[in-house]
Structure formats: structure tokens, C-alpha cells
């Protein structure tokens, strides 16, 4: 009788197409599968086929992962976590995503490094309790990822005998060496919203204070410098429109432009993957004339979206109540689903899961 065992290449191909929760369960099937799921090549292949998911934190301190298929079916999972501390106030909580890992800051306490799928948590505690996290990345020029945290410490300096002033001192925490070092660089373009972590570097919208033009600012963790990355395909006016930047297909930019007057939305995407050497070329992906989406101005927390198969999927608070909602728009189709009654304090679109273990153990620096 012929053996029913599949060729290993075909077996790997089938596994790469399974949903994330199945892979987590199947880790215990055999040692070969468990080793495969830790392989970086397999993880990258699986992520290339995965839809992004939303991770949201509400005012009620509940966290959810939200998976959406194109038929409009929404799977909501409340994420259980075991952090050894609680935020003093929800509004002081910052959550950053980098390669499927979540870095949750607890103001004046430390940072939890969290893989919600594997239910693993690492902990970083700073000696200087006033270090504030802005983003997470790594040196992409090195073969092994050494995660780094960009942030700042609020310092005081005396400008006269009777006057003192505060200023931000830029610092980087290197997770491998557990060292905090300062960067001697003046900088005035701190992100007003959480930056994106893409291929090891940080990106966010910034404004030139002289020309008032908006552009994408970056922090390069390899060179440890701030620099302008590219101009935007459309203008920003405080009185007429709102811009939201996100990641498209894991390695490109997507920019949403909403008109306040008509609620019309334009979606722009970068033509090629994000690269430090290539000039960014923008193309208009779609225009949505709908007026049913919420007005996005003054929502400083909790706006995220992604594009999948010509569908705009957005997570943000309801205009009237602030309750966490999912919106889906494709052509004439419009859906709105309320997820939680609590106000959205954080929302991010992430490519989960990272099936690799959290690379940190609990320690204090």
C-alpha cells in the first residue's frame, strides 16, 4: 500500500495558508512542525498571506484582536494578558507594534513586550522613570534583529537666575545590551500620533514649520538619525481635511485623505516597497464618495485602517458616543459594527501573529 504521507514541501505550503490560531494549536502536533513555525523564512511566508488585524484598547481597559474576512464576518477575541502592573491612567498608555510583537508602555513603570498569540510577556524596567517611549525598531543592516526603543526624557535646564525651562532629550534603549544612551541631536518633529514601524525604521507625518508642508519623517535605527523621507501626494489643511498614514501590504505606505465637508475619502499608496534609497512614487488607489464614515478630525487616539481586495476596513470611535466600531466600505457596500461600548484609547492595524518567542526575559536596567 502506498504511503499517505505528503511531500514535505506540499505540507509546508498547506501549513503556510492556515489561519494563525490553527498554527498556534498545531505547535504541539510534532517537533518538525514546532521547529517550522519558529523558522523565520516560514514566518515571513505566512505573514505575506495574512490579512492585517486590529488591536484595540478601550477606556474600560479591555484589549481585543479583531479579524475580518471579506464576507463581512468579524471575529472578536478579548486578549487575556498577565502584566505585573497596571497603567495609572489609560490615556498614559502607549502601545507600539513591531514585527507582530506588541510593546506596551506603562508610564513611569516600564514596557511589556507581548506576543498575544503565544501568550508570552517580557518586561523592561528603566532606572529613569521619566523615559517615554515613541517607537520600536531595529538595525536592519545587521543579520540578527536587535530591538531598539526610541524615546525621550524630559529634562530641566536653567536659562537665567530666575528661570528654568523643560526640554526633550532624545534617547535610545538597546534591548540586547539593556543600555540607555542619549543622542546629541536637536529635534522638533516628535510624532503627534503613534509612528509606524516598517523594516526596522519609524515613519510618521510631520509638518515643516516654515513652509507648512506635510511630509513623512523617519528615524533610521541603523544610522540613529532623524531625516525627512518623502513628500505627500496631497496637501493637509487643518480646516478642510484629515490625513491618516498606515502600512499597505506589509512593506508599502497607504495614505487616507478625508474631506471634512463631503466626507469623501481618497486612498493613496506608494508604488514600490519602502526603501531608503528609492524615491517614493504615489498612486491613487481608490476614491470613496461615502458620507457614512465618521469625521476623523480630533480623534488623536484610535484611528487605524487597512485595504484588502479593494475594501476599506477602518477601526475608530463612533462620532457621537466614541464607542469602538468597525467600518467596511467597498463600492456601494457599507457596514458598521460596534465592538465595545468603551471609548477607543488605542487602535493599530498589525500583521499578526509573530510565531517567534518574545526575545526578552524580565529584567531591570
Amino acid at each position: 500500500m502506498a504511503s499517505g504521507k505528503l511531500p514535505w514541501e506540499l505540507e509546508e505550503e498547506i501549513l503556510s495558508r492556515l489561519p494563525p490560531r490553527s498554527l498556534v494549536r498545531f505547535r504541539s502536533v510534532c517537533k518538525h512542525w514546532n521547529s517550522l513555525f519558529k523558522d523565520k523564512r516560514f514566518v515571513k511566508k505566512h505573514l505575506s498571506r495574512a490579512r492585517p488585524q486590529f488591536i484595540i484598547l478601550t477606556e474600560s481597559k479591555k484589549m481585543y484582536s479583531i479579524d475580518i474576512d471579506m464576507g463581512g464576518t468579524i471575529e472578536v477575541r478579548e486578549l487575556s494578558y498577565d502584566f505585573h502592573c497596571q497603567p495609572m491612567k489609560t490615556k498614559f498608555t502607549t502601545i507600539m507594534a513591531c514585527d507582530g510583537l506588541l510593546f506596551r508602555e506603562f508610564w513611569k513603570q516600564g514596557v511589556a513586550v507581548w506576543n498575544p498569540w503565544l501568550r508570552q510577556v517580557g518586561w523592561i524596567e528603566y532606572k529613569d522613570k521619566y523615559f517615554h517611549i515613541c517607537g520600536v525598531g531595529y538595525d536592519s543592516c545587521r543579520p540578527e534583529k536587535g530591538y531598539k526603543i526610541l524615546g525621550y526624557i524630559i529634562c530641566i535646564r536653567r536659562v537665567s537666575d530666575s528661570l528654568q525651562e523643560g526640554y526633550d532629550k532624545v534617547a535610545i534603549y538597546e534591548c540586547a545590551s539593556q543600555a540607555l544612551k542619549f543622542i546629541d541631536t536637536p529635534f522638533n518633529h516628535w510624532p503627534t500620533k503613534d509612528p509606524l514601524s516598517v523594516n526596522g525604521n519609524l515613519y510618521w507625518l510631520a509638518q515643516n514649520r516654515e513652509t507648512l508642508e506635510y511630509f513623512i519623517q523617519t528615524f533610521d535605527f541603523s544610522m540613529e538619525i532623524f531625516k525627512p523621507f518623502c513628500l505627500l501626494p496631497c496637501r493637509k489643511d487643518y480646516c478642510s481635511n484629515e490625513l491618516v498614514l498606515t502600512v499597505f501590504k506589509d512593506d508599502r505606505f497607504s495614505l487616507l485623505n478625508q474631506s471634512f465637508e463631503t466626507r469623501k475619502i481618497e486612498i493613496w499608496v506608494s508604488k514600490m516597497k519602502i526603501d531608503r534609497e528609492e524615491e517614493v512614487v504615489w498612486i491613487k488607489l481608490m476614491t470613496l464618495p461615502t458620507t457614512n464614515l465618521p469625521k476623523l478630525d480630533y480623534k488623536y487616539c484610535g484611528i487605524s485602517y487597512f485595504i484588502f481586495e479593494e475594501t476599506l476596513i477602518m477601526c475608530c470611535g463612533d462620532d457621537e458616543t466614541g464607542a469602538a466600531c468597525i467600518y467596511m466600505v467597498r463600492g456601494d457596500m457599507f457596514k458598521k459594527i460596534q465592538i465595545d461600548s468603551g471609548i477607543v484609547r488605542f487602535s493599530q492595524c498589525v500583521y499578526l501573529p509573530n510565531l517567534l518567542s518574545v526575545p526578552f526575559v524580565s529584567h531591570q536596567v
Side-chain angles (χ1 to χ4, degrees):
M1 181 181 293
S3 173
K5 185 175 178 60
L6 293 173
W8 172 242
E9 293 79 7
L10 179 57
E11 193 171 308
E12 179 180 330
E13 180 68 19
I14 293 172
L15 290 171
S16 72
R17 297 174 182 271
L18 293 179
R21 291 176 67 183
S22 298
L23 294 186
V24 174
R25 292 198 304 269
F26 291 166
R27 287 167 65 95
S28 60
V29 169
C30 64
K31 291 182 179 180
H32 200 169
W33 284 12
N34 187 46
S35 298
L36 175 67
F37 298 162
K38 295 178 182 179
D39 183 84
K40 293 180 180 179
R41 179 186 57 81
F42 177 82
V43 171
K44 184 176 181 180
K45 184 177 182 179
H46 185 263
L47 286 176
S48 69
R49 291 172 170 168
R51 287 189 304 273
Q53 296 185 355
F54 293 116
I55 300 292
I56 68 170
L57 170 67
T58 67
E59 198 173 47
S60 61
K61 298 183 181 179
K62 292 182 178 180
M63 292 193 69
Y64 300 93
S65 72
I66 303 170
D67 189 16
I68 306 163
D69 66 28
M70 292 305 100
T73 302
I74 295 181
E75 181 181 9
V76 181
R77 296 175 59 240
E78 185 173 347
L79 296 176
S80 59
Y81 52 85
D82 185 21
F83 302 139
H84 70 268
C85 66
Q86 292 296 324
M88 292 178 286
K89 291 186 178 180
T90 308
K91 66 180 180 180
F92 292 145
T93 298
T94 300
I95 304 177
M96 303 287 177
C98 182
D99 287 355
L101 295 177
L102 300 180
F103 292 72
R104 181 173 181 180
E105 180 186 41
F106 295 84
W107 177 236
K108 296 185 180 180
Q109 298 176 81
V111 175
V113 186
W114 184 29
N115 187 325
W117 288 95
L118 301 184
R119 298 183 180 179
Q120 295 178 344
V121 178
W123 180 254
I124 299 169
E125 186 173 343
Y126 311 114
K127 286 183 178 179
D128 194 317
K129 301 299 183 182
Y130 288 91
F131 179 71
H132 182 66
I133 180 175
C134 288
V136 181
Y138 52 86
D139 185 345
S140 59
C141 295
R142 295 183 178 181
E144 294 295 326
K145 291 180 182 177
Y147 289 99
K148 299 181 180 182
I149 300 175
L150 174 69
Y152 62 89
I153 295 175
I154 301 175
C155 302
I156 302 295
R157 59 188 170 198
R158 184 174 294 279
V159 294
S160 69
D161 292 339
S162 59
L163 182 62
Q164 293 180 329
E165 68 176 6
Y167 67 99
D168 297 340
K169 196 168 183 179
V170 183
I172 290 179
Y173 172 75
E174 294 183 343
C175 297
S177 64
Q178 304 177 21
L180 187 71
K181 67 177 182 179
F182 292 103
I183 302 176
D184 186 18
T185 177
F187 187 66
N188 298 315
H189 292 301
W190 285 111
T192 57
K193 299 180 181 178
D194 294 337
L196 305 174
S197 181
V198 185
N199 297 333
N201 295 325
L202 297 176
Y203 301 88
W204 64 92
L205 297 180
Q207 184 181 32
N208 185 310
R209 295 183 177 181
E210 295 180 359
T211 65
L212 302 182
E213 278 191 316
Y214 276 78
F215 61 97
I216 295 178
Q217 179 79 27
T218 184
F219 182 79
D220 188 320
F221 277 100
S222 302
M223 304 175 67
E224 296 186 349
I225 59 171
F226 297 94
K227 57 185 179 181
F229 186 74
C230 70
L231 295 176
L232 300 179
C234 51
R235 295 183 61 84
K236 159 69 176 164
D237 189 315
Y238 280 111
C239 300
S240 64
N241 69 321
E242 181 66 23
L243 301 177
V244 182
L245 183 69
T246 192
V247 178
F248 179 62
K249 293 187 176 179
D250 197 34
D251 59 4
R252 294 158 63 184
F253 287 131
S254 174
L255 183 71
L256 182 150
N257 177 22
Q258 184 192 53
S259 166
F260 292 161
E261 181 179 356
T262 64
R263 304 285 181 95
K264 182 178 78 170
I265 285 179
E266 295 177 341
I267 303 291
W268 296 79
V269 297
S270 55
K271 187 175 181 179
M272 306 296 290
K273 69 177 183 178
I274 300 166
D275 189 285
R276 288 180 295 181
E277 307 299 330
E278 295 291 333
E279 181 180 355
V280 176
V281 177
W282 294 93
I283 57 176
K284 187 184 290 189
L285 183 67
M286 64 176 69
T287 300
L288 301 170
T290 179
T291 60
N292 294 324
L293 288 169
K295 193 174 181 181
L296 301 181
D297 62 330
Y298 302 115
K299 286 184 169 64
Y300 294 107
C301 301
I303 301 177
S304 57
Y305 77 94
F306 66 91
I307 305 296
F308 193 82
E309 295 183 354
E310 300 183 350
T311 303
L312 169 64
I313 305 169
M314 179 183 293
C315 177
C316 69
D318 178 80
D319 269 342
E320 296 182 0
T321 66
C325 294
I326 298 294
Y327 301 86
M328 299 181 64
V329 184
R330 182 177 64 238
D332 296 331
M333 183 273 287
F334 174 84
K335 289 185 179 182
K336 174 184 175 182
I337 303 99
Q338 181 171 317
I339 302 300
D340 187 282
S341 58
I343 296 174
V344 180
R345 289 302 180 190
F346 164 84
S347 171
Q348 190 161 118
C349 179
V350 295
Y351 285 80
L352 287 175
N354 184 332
L355 296 177
L356 301 178
S357 298
V358 170
F360 310 103
V361 295
S362 298
H363 57 266
Q364 182 173 354
V365 299

PDB file of all heavy atoms in Angstrom, residues 8 16-17 23 37 98 114 139 185 198 260-261 278 280-281 288 291 296 318 327 336 338 340 345 352:
ATOM      1  N   TRP A   8       7.180  16.922   1.982  1.00  0.00           N
ATOM      2  CA  TRP A   8       7.351  17.980   2.974  1.00  0.00           C
ATOM      3  C   TRP A   8       7.084  19.366   2.379  1.00  0.00           C
ATOM      4  O   TRP A   8       6.511  20.242   3.029  1.00  0.00           O
ATOM      5  CB  TRP A   8       8.756  17.929   3.567  1.00  0.00           C
ATOM      6  CG  TRP A   8       9.062  19.091   4.454  1.00  0.00           C
ATOM      7  CD1 TRP A   8      10.025  20.039   4.302  1.00  0.00           C
ATOM      8  CD2 TRP A   8       8.353  19.460   5.646  1.00  0.00           C
ATOM      9  NE1 TRP A   8       9.966  20.962   5.310  1.00  0.00           N
ATOM     10  CE2 TRP A   8       8.946  20.628   6.167  1.00  0.00           C
ATOM     11  CE3 TRP A   8       7.260  18.913   6.332  1.00  0.00           C
ATOM     12  CZ2 TRP A   8       8.509  21.256   7.321  1.00  0.00           C
ATOM     13  CZ3 TRP A   8       6.822  19.535   7.489  1.00  0.00           C
ATOM     14  CH2 TRP A   8       7.437  20.693   7.973  1.00  0.00           C
ATOM     15  N   SER A  16       1.319  26.994   5.567  1.00  0.00           N
ATOM     16  CA  SER A  16       1.509  28.447   5.421  1.00  0.00           C
ATOM     17  C   SER A  16       0.210  29.171   5.097  1.00  0.00           C
ATOM     18  O   SER A  16       0.135  30.393   5.213  1.00  0.00           O
ATOM     19  CB  SER A  16       2.547  28.736   4.333  1.00  0.00           C
ATOM     20  OG  SER A  16       2.026  28.456   3.037  1.00  0.00           O
ATOM     21  N   ARG A  17      -0.816  28.428   4.670  1.00  0.00           N
ATOM     22  CA  ARG A  17      -2.099  29.034   4.310  1.00  0.00           C
ATOM     23  C   ARG A  17      -3.148  28.935   5.421  1.00  0.00           C
ATOM     24  O   ARG A  17      -4.266  29.415   5.261  1.00  0.00           O
ATOM     25  CB  ARG A  17      -2.648  28.370   3.040  1.00  0.00           C
ATOM     26  CG  ARG A  17      -1.753  28.570   1.821  1.00  0.00           C
ATOM     27  CD  ARG A  17      -2.240  27.782   0.622  1.00  0.00           C
ATOM     28  NE  ARG A  17      -1.361  27.929  -0.512  1.00  0.00           N
ATOM     29  CZ  ARG A  17      -1.461  28.895  -1.437  1.00  0.00           C
ATOM     30  NH1 ARG A  17      -2.429  29.784  -1.335  1.00  0.00           N
ATOM     31  NH2 ARG A  17      -0.611  28.964  -2.432  1.00  0.00           N
ATOM     32  N   LEU A  23      -2.225  27.521  13.616  1.00  0.00           N
ATOM     33  CA  LEU A  23      -0.787  27.282  13.739  1.00  0.00           C
ATOM     34  C   LEU A  23      -0.361  27.217  15.198  1.00  0.00           C
ATOM     35  O   LEU A  23       0.490  26.400  15.575  1.00  0.00           O
ATOM     36  CB  LEU A  23      -0.009  28.379  13.009  1.00  0.00           C
ATOM     37  CG  LEU A  23      -0.155  28.432  11.488  1.00  0.00           C
ATOM     38  CD1 LEU A  23       0.784  29.478  10.922  1.00  0.00           C
ATOM     39  CD2 LEU A  23       0.109  27.085  10.857  1.00  0.00           C
ATOM     40  N   PHE A  37       7.432  26.385  12.570  1.00  0.00           N
ATOM     41  CA  PHE A  37       6.730  27.613  12.937  1.00  0.00           C
ATOM     42  C   PHE A  37       7.665  28.650  13.548  1.00  0.00           C
ATOM     43  O   PHE A  37       7.317  29.828  13.646  1.00  0.00           O
ATOM     44  CB  PHE A  37       5.591  27.303  13.902  1.00  0.00           C
ATOM     45  CG  PHE A  37       4.533  26.391  13.326  1.00  0.00           C
ATOM     46  CD1 PHE A  37       3.656  25.713  14.145  1.00  0.00           C
ATOM     47  CD2 PHE A  37       4.439  26.200  11.958  1.00  0.00           C
ATOM     48  CE1 PHE A  37       2.688  24.870  13.629  1.00  0.00           C
ATOM     49  CE2 PHE A  37       3.480  25.362  11.415  1.00  0.00           C
ATOM     50  CZ  PHE A  37       2.608  24.681  12.253  1.00  0.00           C
ATOM     51  N   CYS A  98       5.746  46.038  16.379  1.00  0.00           N
ATOM     52  CA  CYS A  98       6.951  45.854  15.567  1.00  0.00           C
ATOM     53  C   CYS A  98       7.082  44.368  15.258  1.00  0.00           C
ATOM     54  O   CYS A  98       7.300  43.557  16.176  1.00  0.00           O
ATOM     55  CB  CYS A  98       8.179  46.371  16.313  1.00  0.00           C
ATOM     56  SG  CYS A  98       9.726  46.254  15.372  1.00  0.00           S
ATOM     57  N   TRP A 114       5.069  41.852  24.348  1.00  0.00           N
ATOM     58  CA  TRP A 114       3.952  40.920  24.412  1.00  0.00           C
ATOM     59  C   TRP A 114       3.706  40.259  23.070  1.00  0.00           C
ATOM     60  O   TRP A 114       3.609  40.919  22.038  1.00  0.00           O
ATOM     61  CB  TRP A 114       2.716  41.711  24.869  1.00  0.00           C
ATOM     62  CG  TRP A 114       1.475  40.944  25.088  1.00  0.00           C
ATOM     63  CD1 TRP A 114       1.331  39.643  25.477  1.00  0.00           C
ATOM     64  CD2 TRP A 114       0.150  41.461  24.947  1.00  0.00           C
ATOM     65  NE1 TRP A 114       0.007  39.329  25.593  1.00  0.00           N
ATOM     66  CE2 TRP A 114      -0.746  40.428  25.279  1.00  0.00           C
ATOM     67  CE3 TRP A 114      -0.380  42.694  24.592  1.00  0.00           C
ATOM     68  CZ2 TRP A 114      -2.120  40.582  25.240  1.00  0.00           C
ATOM     69  CZ3 TRP A 114      -1.745  42.869  24.562  1.00  0.00           C
ATOM     70  CH2 TRP A 114      -2.609  41.814  24.890  1.00  0.00           C
ATOM     71  N   ASP A 139      18.108  47.639  13.903  1.00  0.00           N
ATOM     72  CA  ASP A 139      19.119  47.919  12.886  1.00  0.00           C
ATOM     73  C   ASP A 139      18.968  46.904  11.761  1.00  0.00           C
ATOM     74  O   ASP A 139      19.316  45.736  11.917  1.00  0.00           O
ATOM     75  CB  ASP A 139      20.511  47.833  13.519  1.00  0.00           C
ATOM     76  CG  ASP A 139      21.615  48.243  12.553  1.00  0.00           C
ATOM     77  OD1 ASP A 139      21.340  48.320  11.330  1.00  0.00           O
ATOM     78  OD2 ASP A 139      22.741  48.468  13.005  1.00  0.00           O
ATOM     79  N   THR A 185      21.221  65.289  19.324  1.00  0.00           N
ATOM     80  CA  THR A 185      20.635  65.834  18.100  1.00  0.00           C
ATOM     81  C   THR A 185      19.436  66.703  18.446  1.00  0.00           C
ATOM     82  O   THR A 185      18.591  66.314  19.250  1.00  0.00           O
ATOM     83  CB  THR A 185      20.207  64.709  17.136  1.00  0.00           C
ATOM     84  OG1 THR A 185      19.578  65.281  15.978  1.00  0.00           O
ATOM     85  CG2 THR A 185      19.227  63.767  17.804  1.00  0.00           C
ATOM     86  N   VAL A 198       8.364  49.984  10.173  1.00  0.00           N
ATOM     87  CA  VAL A 198       8.422  49.245   8.908  1.00  0.00           C
ATOM     88  C   VAL A 198       9.875  48.923   8.588  1.00  0.00           C
ATOM     89  O   VAL A 198      10.718  49.822   8.516  1.00  0.00           O
ATOM     90  CB  VAL A 198       7.805  50.060   7.741  1.00  0.00           C
ATOM     91  CG1 VAL A 198       7.773  49.220   6.474  1.00  0.00           C
ATOM     92  CG2 VAL A 198       6.429  50.567   8.086  1.00  0.00           C
ATOM     93  N   PHE A 260     -13.438  67.102   5.166  1.00  0.00           N
ATOM     94  CA  PHE A 260     -14.389  67.355   6.248  1.00  0.00           C
ATOM     95  C   PHE A 260     -15.775  67.721   5.717  1.00  0.00           C
ATOM     96  O   PHE A 260     -16.793  67.337   6.282  1.00  0.00           O
ATOM     97  CB  PHE A 260     -13.888  68.492   7.144  1.00  0.00           C
ATOM     98  CG  PHE A 260     -12.664  68.137   7.929  1.00  0.00           C
ATOM     99  CD1 PHE A 260     -11.864  69.121   8.467  1.00  0.00           C
ATOM    100  CD2 PHE A 260     -12.308  66.820   8.136  1.00  0.00           C
ATOM    101  CE1 PHE A 260     -10.741  68.807   9.206  1.00  0.00           C
ATOM    102  CE2 PHE A 260     -11.184  66.486   8.863  1.00  0.00           C
ATOM    103  CZ  PHE A 260     -10.395  67.478   9.398  1.00  0.00           C
ATOM    104  N   GLU A 261     -15.809  68.453   4.612  1.00  0.00           N
ATOM    105  CA  GLU A 261     -17.087  68.951   4.091  1.00  0.00           C
ATOM    106  C   GLU A 261     -17.925  67.837   3.490  1.00  0.00           C
ATOM    107  O   GLU A 261     -19.127  67.717   3.763  1.00  0.00           O
ATOM    108  CB  GLU A 261     -16.841  70.040   3.050  1.00  0.00           C
ATOM    109  CG  GLU A 261     -18.123  70.631   2.477  1.00  0.00           C
ATOM    110  CD  GLU A 261     -17.855  71.729   1.469  1.00  0.00           C
ATOM    111  OE1 GLU A 261     -16.668  72.083   1.260  1.00  0.00           O
ATOM    112  OE2 GLU A 261     -18.825  72.247   0.889  1.00  0.00           O
ATOM    113  N   GLU A 278      15.287  54.431  -2.722  1.00  0.00           N
ATOM    114  CA  GLU A 278      14.400  54.692  -3.851  1.00  0.00           C
ATOM    115  C   GLU A 278      13.473  55.879  -3.570  1.00  0.00           C
ATOM    116  O   GLU A 278      12.967  56.043  -2.461  1.00  0.00           O
ATOM    117  CB  GLU A 278      13.552  53.454  -4.145  1.00  0.00           C
ATOM    118  CG  GLU A 278      14.353  52.240  -4.604  1.00  0.00           C
ATOM    119  CD  GLU A 278      14.957  52.423  -5.987  1.00  0.00           C
ATOM    120  OE1 GLU A 278      14.375  53.194  -6.774  1.00  0.00           O
ATOM    121  OE2 GLU A 278      15.993  51.800  -6.273  1.00  0.00           O
ATOM    122  N   VAL A 280      10.044  57.798  -3.523  1.00  0.00           N
ATOM    123  CA  VAL A 280       8.684  57.300  -3.332  1.00  0.00           C
ATOM    124  C   VAL A 280       7.782  57.848  -4.433  1.00  0.00           C
ATOM    125  O   VAL A 280       7.727  59.057  -4.672  1.00  0.00           O
ATOM    126  CB  VAL A 280       8.130  57.706  -1.954  1.00  0.00           C
ATOM    127  CG1 VAL A 280       6.674  57.264  -1.812  1.00  0.00           C
ATOM    128  CG2 VAL A 280       8.978  57.080  -0.850  1.00  0.00           C
ATOM    129  N   VAL A 281       7.072  56.957  -5.123  1.00  0.00           N
ATOM    130  CA  VAL A 281       6.096  57.329  -6.147  1.00  0.00           C
ATOM    131  C   VAL A 281       4.718  56.929  -5.625  1.00  0.00           C
ATOM    132  O   VAL A 281       4.504  55.771  -5.240  1.00  0.00           O
ATOM    133  CB  VAL A 281       6.385  56.630  -7.487  1.00  0.00           C
ATOM    134  CG1 VAL A 281       5.305  56.970  -8.508  1.00  0.00           C
ATOM    135  CG2 VAL A 281       7.765  57.011  -8.001  1.00  0.00           C
ATOM    136  N   LEU A 288     -13.604  57.087  -2.467  1.00  0.00           N
ATOM    137  CA  LEU A 288     -14.872  56.658  -1.874  1.00  0.00           C
ATOM    138  C   LEU A 288     -15.713  57.887  -1.569  1.00  0.00           C
ATOM    139  O   LEU A 288     -15.367  58.691  -0.703  1.00  0.00           O
ATOM    140  CB  LEU A 288     -14.621  55.855  -0.590  1.00  0.00           C
ATOM    141  CG  LEU A 288     -13.778  54.589  -0.754  1.00  0.00           C
ATOM    142  CD1 LEU A 288     -13.400  54.029   0.597  1.00  0.00           C
ATOM    143  CD2 LEU A 288     -14.535  53.557  -1.569  1.00  0.00           C
ATOM    144  N   THR A 291     -20.528  59.247   2.647  1.00  0.00           N
ATOM    145  CA  THR A 291     -20.590  60.222   3.746  1.00  0.00           C
ATOM    146  C   THR A 291     -20.935  59.526   5.054  1.00  0.00           C
ATOM    147  O   THR A 291     -21.221  60.171   6.048  1.00  0.00           O
ATOM    148  CB  THR A 291     -21.660  61.296   3.450  1.00  0.00           C
ATOM    149  OG1 THR A 291     -22.939  60.647   3.304  1.00  0.00           O
ATOM    150  CG2 THR A 291     -21.337  62.074   2.202  1.00  0.00           C
ATOM    151  N   LEU A 296     -12.931  62.258  10.951  1.00  0.00           N
ATOM    152  CA  LEU A 296     -11.714  61.760  11.579  1.00  0.00           C
ATOM    153  C   LEU A 296     -10.895  62.824  12.298  1.00  0.00           C
ATOM    154  O   LEU A 296      -9.877  62.494  12.916  1.00  0.00           O
ATOM    155  CB  LEU A 296     -10.829  61.082  10.517  1.00  0.00           C
ATOM    156  CG  LEU A 296     -11.474  59.897   9.792  1.00  0.00           C
ATOM    157  CD1 LEU A 296     -10.492  59.301   8.790  1.00  0.00           C
ATOM    158  CD2 LEU A 296     -11.935  58.831  10.778  1.00  0.00           C
ATOM    159  N   ASP A 318     -17.112  55.864  17.327  1.00  0.00           N
ATOM    160  CA  ASP A 318     -18.333  56.443  16.768  1.00  0.00           C
ATOM    161  C   ASP A 318     -18.330  57.956  16.983  1.00  0.00           C
ATOM    162  O   ASP A 318     -17.834  58.459  17.996  1.00  0.00           O
ATOM    163  CB  ASP A 318     -19.547  55.815  17.467  1.00  0.00           C
ATOM    164  CG  ASP A 318     -20.859  56.400  16.990  1.00  0.00           C
ATOM    165  OD1 ASP A 318     -21.327  55.984  15.923  1.00  0.00           O
ATOM    166  OD2 ASP A 318     -21.401  57.276  17.693  1.00  0.00           O
ATOM    167  N   TYR A 327     -15.743  49.730  10.488  1.00  0.00           N
ATOM    168  CA  TYR A 327     -16.443  50.191   9.292  1.00  0.00           C
ATOM    169  C   TYR A 327     -15.842  49.483   8.081  1.00  0.00           C
ATOM    170  O   TYR A 327     -14.618  49.366   7.960  1.00  0.00           O
ATOM    171  CB  TYR A 327     -16.292  51.702   9.117  1.00  0.00           C
ATOM    172  CG  TYR A 327     -16.825  52.511  10.269  1.00  0.00           C
ATOM    173  CD1 TYR A 327     -16.029  52.776  11.380  1.00  0.00           C
ATOM    174  CD2 TYR A 327     -18.118  53.025  10.251  1.00  0.00           C
ATOM    175  CE1 TYR A 327     -16.511  53.521  12.452  1.00  0.00           C
ATOM    176  CE2 TYR A 327     -18.607  53.777  11.312  1.00  0.00           C
ATOM    177  CZ  TYR A 327     -17.799  54.015  12.409  1.00  0.00           C
ATOM    178  OH  TYR A 327     -18.271  54.760  13.470  1.00  0.00           O
ATOM    179  N   LYS A 336     -21.277  48.841   9.427  1.00  0.00           N
ATOM    180  CA  LYS A 336     -20.769  49.385  10.687  1.00  0.00           C
ATOM    181  C   LYS A 336     -21.119  48.396  11.796  1.00  0.00           C
ATOM    182  O   LYS A 336     -22.271  48.024  11.961  1.00  0.00           O
ATOM    183  CB  LYS A 336     -21.400  50.752  10.989  1.00  0.00           C
ATOM    184  CG  LYS A 336     -21.032  51.315  12.354  1.00  0.00           C
ATOM    185  CD  LYS A 336     -21.769  52.627  12.619  1.00  0.00           C
ATOM    186  CE  LYS A 336     -21.505  53.150  14.016  1.00  0.00           C
ATOM    187  NZ  LYS A 336     -22.265  54.409  14.290  1.00  0.00           N
ATOM    188  N   GLN A 338     -20.455  47.681  15.950  1.00  0.00           N
ATOM    189  CA  GLN A 338     -19.924  48.152  17.220  1.00  0.00           C
ATOM    190  C   GLN A 338     -19.271  46.980  17.951  1.00  0.00           C
ATOM    191  O   GLN A 338     -19.855  45.910  18.091  1.00  0.00           O
ATOM    192  CB  GLN A 338     -21.017  48.769  18.088  1.00  0.00           C
ATOM    193  CG  GLN A 338     -20.498  49.313  19.422  1.00  0.00           C
ATOM    194  CD  GLN A 338     -21.551  50.105  20.178  1.00  0.00           C
ATOM    195  OE1 GLN A 338     -22.278  50.913  19.591  1.00  0.00           O
ATOM    196  NE2 GLN A 338     -21.641  49.890  21.483  1.00  0.00           N
ATOM    197  N   ASP A 340     -17.323  47.442  21.147  1.00  0.00           N
ATOM    198  CA  ASP A 340     -17.312  47.656  22.594  1.00  0.00           C
ATOM    199  C   ASP A 340     -17.929  49.013  22.868  1.00  0.00           C
ATOM    200  O   ASP A 340     -17.853  49.921  22.049  1.00  0.00           O
ATOM    201  CB  ASP A 340     -15.861  47.606  23.117  1.00  0.00           C
ATOM    202  CG  ASP A 340     -15.762  47.649  24.632  1.00  0.00           C
ATOM    203  OD1 ASP A 340     -15.908  48.740  25.202  1.00  0.00           O
ATOM    204  OD2 ASP A 340     -15.542  46.588  25.246  1.00  0.00           O
ATOM    205  N   ARG A 345      -9.111  54.066  23.074  1.00  0.00           N
ATOM    206  CA  ARG A 345      -7.919  54.782  23.506  1.00  0.00           C
ATOM    207  C   ARG A 345      -6.722  54.440  22.634  1.00  0.00           C
ATOM    208  O   ARG A 345      -5.761  55.186  22.577  1.00  0.00           O
ATOM    209  CB  ARG A 345      -7.606  54.449  24.967  1.00  0.00           C
ATOM    210  CG  ARG A 345      -8.584  55.059  25.962  1.00  0.00           C
ATOM    211  CD  ARG A 345      -8.627  56.567  25.840  1.00  0.00           C
ATOM    212  NE  ARG A 345      -9.544  57.176  26.785  1.00  0.00           N
ATOM    213  CZ  ARG A 345      -9.909  58.450  26.752  1.00  0.00           C
ATOM    214  NH1 ARG A 345      -9.456  59.235  25.786  1.00  0.00           N
ATOM    215  NH2 ARG A 345     -10.739  58.928  27.641  1.00  0.00           N
ATOM    216  N   LEU A 352      -0.376  40.251  12.382  1.00  0.00           N
ATOM    217  CA  LEU A 352      -0.163  39.215  13.387  1.00  0.00           C
ATOM    218  C   LEU A 352      -0.463  37.856  12.756  1.00  0.00           C
ATOM    219  O   LEU A 352      -1.228  37.765  11.813  1.00  0.00           O
ATOM    220  CB  LEU A 352      -1.097  39.436  14.588  1.00  0.00           C
ATOM    221  CG  LEU A 352      -0.756  40.594  15.513  1.00  0.00           C
ATOM    222  CD1 LEU A 352      -1.854  40.734  16.550  1.00  0.00           C
ATOM    223  CD2 LEU A 352       0.561  40.368  16.209  1.00  0.00           C
TER     224      LEU A 352
END
